[in-house]
Amino acid sequence: MLRDTYIEIDLDRLGDNVAQIRKRIGPDVAIAAVIKADAYGHGSVTCAQTIMEHGGDYLAVATLTEALELRNAYPQYPILIMGYTSNENLPHVVKNHITQCIFTEEQAVELDWLGRELGMKPKVHIKYDTGFHRLGFPDGHESIEAIKRICKLEHLECEGIFSHFSLASDEENHRQYNALKAAAERLEAAGCRFKYRHICDSIAAIDYPEFRLDMIRPGAILYGMKSFRKNDLDIHQVIRFVTKVAYIQNIKKGEGVSYNYKYKADRDMRLATITVGYADGYPRNMYEVGEVTIHGKRAKVVGVLCMDQCMVDVTDIPEVRVGDEVILYGDESENAVTFAEAAVKCATNKNELLCRFTRRTPKVYMKGGKPVKVLNALLPDVDELEGI
Ligand SMILES: *Cc1c(COP(=O)(O)O)cnc(C)c1O
């Protein structure tokens, strides 16, 4: 390895998580696996294949660029853009057989026109706003009439209709679900045919089995993040974030550490320096709350985090040597800080922590407990596997 700091991505676990979701929902509900934001930091191109081989039906992303990255790697997988694409970019959507979310009649007409021009029939999923107020046709009569007209367009396939939960309360979840279902029923009574009606993200897909309709859009649970409340699911965190000890030193009581000497040693201490900083996606506000795991024991982050390094207190782990493994995020079974624990420590959510990894930090993909692929965005042409 050319860098000691990397994220380890367990493809077996990713596959198992998808299989667990499939087992839970049964064969009749489609899984649109949400792999936006580089598959929540896991690497979308590599993860897509594992997901599709273990029960995924569709890949869902937020932007055209994310869709094109996947399309370049996989000519066949169905891909849905859940977000907005401007008219000037719609030709890329159509030519690349990507399914587009739409929420205006004007864009439907534009896509229908492109379909005719290019001799194709672009697929769309109609976004219906049941309260979130992000994107979508506003719930109501005028929208229903507009969508009826869209369904009649000749060069367009209205494959789906969907909405998104705010997850504000149990009562509000039911109201939003009922609003989407009622709209779909009115449209179907008028001759529209939707293969996929969908509203469930990860949390709703597990906690509200009765809301799954024809498709679910799980993101977080693919990666083992548990935020559902009412039910459990046997899934596991896919990422470990690790580094190695770079330097060890002893400091005296009263001496300062890092910028502004903001931290002052309250006793004689032994410190280990690790080459992980906020530029690697480890949050700067881990200052005063961060903990890492070395030899199965917790060591506190001391001093303000730097961009590329930070210091941890190893006074009570005397066996630590330069080169020893340090776990920043890992499993409970190895006494490591999980994403769930880290999110509480630095007052954010698990998804945001996953999205913070940067291109400097290589990704090592594991299968059967062994590395099978290394992705180093800085050195894409170097085959690092030889060095492992
Ligand atoms: C991100 C996203 C999801 C997935 O959300 P999770 O909470 O990670 O399951 C589903 N639907 C839409 C529209 C999204 O933007």
Side-chain angles (χ1 to χ4, degrees):
M1 285 289 294
L2 294 169
R3 192 157 181 232
D4 289 339
T5 303
Y6 57 93
I7 58 178
E8 210 178 81
I9 296 146
D10 190 329
L11 292 173
D12 293 328
R13 283 193 172 188
L14 178 65
D16 288 346
N17 289 346
V18 181
Q20 287 297 330
I21 298 165
R22 169 57 68 206
K23 202 169 118 195
R24 173 64 55 92
I25 67 172
D28 300 331
V29 176
I31 297 174
V34 178
I35 58 170
K36 61 189 177 189
D38 204 22
Y40 295 43
H42 295 64
S44 62
V45 169
T46 307
C47 291
Q49 189 175 350
T50 301
I51 289 168
M52 294 303 270
E53 285 171 359
H54 288 79
D57 299 290
Y58 229 108
L59 299 170
V61 293
T63 68
L64 172 63
T65 47
E66 291 177 323
L68 291 175
E69 182 189 26
L70 289 166
R71 179 55 79 230
N72 288 340
Y74 306 107
Q76 297 304 332
Y77 292 156
I79 301 170
L80 167 68
I81 298 176
M82 300 183 292
Y84 168 71
T85 303
S86 62
N87 285 357
E88 67 179 291
N89 285 324
L90 287 178
H92 296 288
V93 170
V94 179
K95 287 177 190 164
N96 287 285
H97 301 272
I98 293 163
T99 307
Q100 178 63 49
C101 149
I102 54 161
F103 46 89
T104 62
E105 191 171 1
E106 182 248 326
Q107 282 213 308
V109 168
E110 181 74 20
L111 278 166
D112 179 66
W113 181 82
L114 280 167
R116 189 172 55 222
E117 287 294 297
L118 297 167
M120 297 171 75
K121 199 165 181 184
K123 289 182 183 173
V124 296
H125 285 212
I126 310 268
K127 184 85 191 264
Y128 198 75
D129 184 8
T130 54
F132 200 107
H133 292 141
R134 184 167 59 181
L135 299 177
F137 281 96
D139 187 19
H141 181 72
E142 265 177 51
S143 295
I144 297 289
E145 292 307 310
I147 299 167
K148 279 185 197 168
R149 290 190 294 272
I150 292 172
C151 289
K152 293 203 176 89
L153 293 171
E154 241 176 276
H155 306 277
L156 200 65
E157 181 182 343
C158 290
E159 187 188 52
I161 184 164
F162 73 113
S163 195
H164 193 60
F165 283 125
S166 162
L167 299 170
S169 67
D170 190 52
E171 192 189 359
E172 184 58 16
N173 294 343
H174 279 86
R175 196 202 56 73
Q176 284 192 267
Y177 169 78
N178 288 331
L180 176 66
K181 187 137 182 290
E185 278 165 9
R186 281 178 64 186
L187 289 161
E188 281 168 349
C192 298
R193 289 287 166 267
F194 300 110
K195 186 171 176 196
Y196 301 119
R197 299 160 299 156
H198 48 112
I199 189 167
C200 285
D201 65 348
S202 294
I203 294 174
I206 301 308
D207 280 346
Y208 296 94
E210 68 276 26
F211 292 171
R212 288 178 194 144
L213 295 168
D214 311 302
M215 177 179 257
I216 60 170
R217 301 188 307 268
I221 52 175
L222 300 172
Y223 316 105
M225 301 296 132
K226 297 183 169 193
S227 292
F228 37 81
R229 299 231 152 79
K230 299 183 189 166
N231 297 305
D232 197 19
L233 186 69
D234 187 23
I235 54 174
H236 299 277
Q237 195 174 290
V238 173
I239 283 186
R240 284 174 89 234
F241 184 24
V242 294
T243 187
K244 288 177 182 159
V245 173
Y247 180 58
I248 295 173
Q249 63 193 306
N250 294 303
I251 63 166
K252 292 266 179 265
K253 179 177 175 180
E255 287 186 309
V257 178
S258 191
Y259 289 112
N260 296 321
Y261 295 160
K262 219 165 171 179
Y263 181 87
K264 291 253 168 62
D266 55 3
R267 55 183 172 144
D268 290 356
M269 288 174 77
R270 195 161 172 258
L271 292 185
T273 301
I274 57 176
T275 55
V276 174
Y278 56 83
D280 296 295
Y282 193 60
R284 189 171 179 275
N285 56 357
M286 280 295 190
Y287 168 63
E288 288 189 326
V289 293
E291 286 180 0
V292 301
T293 305
I294 312 177
H295 293 296
K297 294 174 190 142
R298 293 285 182 98
K300 282 193 163 35
V301 171
V302 295
V304 176
L305 252 97
C306 309
M307 189 182 277
D308 319 297
Q309 302 170 81
C310 65
M311 279 63 80
V312 298
D313 176 4
V314 293
T315 312
D316 299 324
I317 319 175
E319 66 272 32
V320 174
R321 297 289 175 268
V322 168
D324 288 354
E325 185 185 69
V326 180
I327 310 170
L328 295 130
Y329 303 140
D331 264 2
E332 266 158 3
S333 63
E334 51 189 358
N335 191 30
V337 174
T338 60
F339 283 93
E341 184 183 350
V344 173
K345 278 188 191 301
C346 54
T348 182
N349 70 5
K350 296 175 285 252
N351 288 353
E352 199 213 328
L353 292 180
L354 288 168
C355 291
R356 282 188 183 211
F357 295 112
T358 64
R359 43 196 299 282
R360 187 168 78 180
T361 311
K363 297 182 179 80
V364 180
Y365 291 94
M366 311 288 288
K367 251 188 193 171
K370 290 202 177 71
V372 290
K373 178 177 176 181
V374 177
L375 264 190
N376 192 333
L378 273 53
L379 303 164
D381 300 328
V382 177
D383 182 2
E384 289 192 49
L385 255 190
E386 314 227 1
I388 286 179

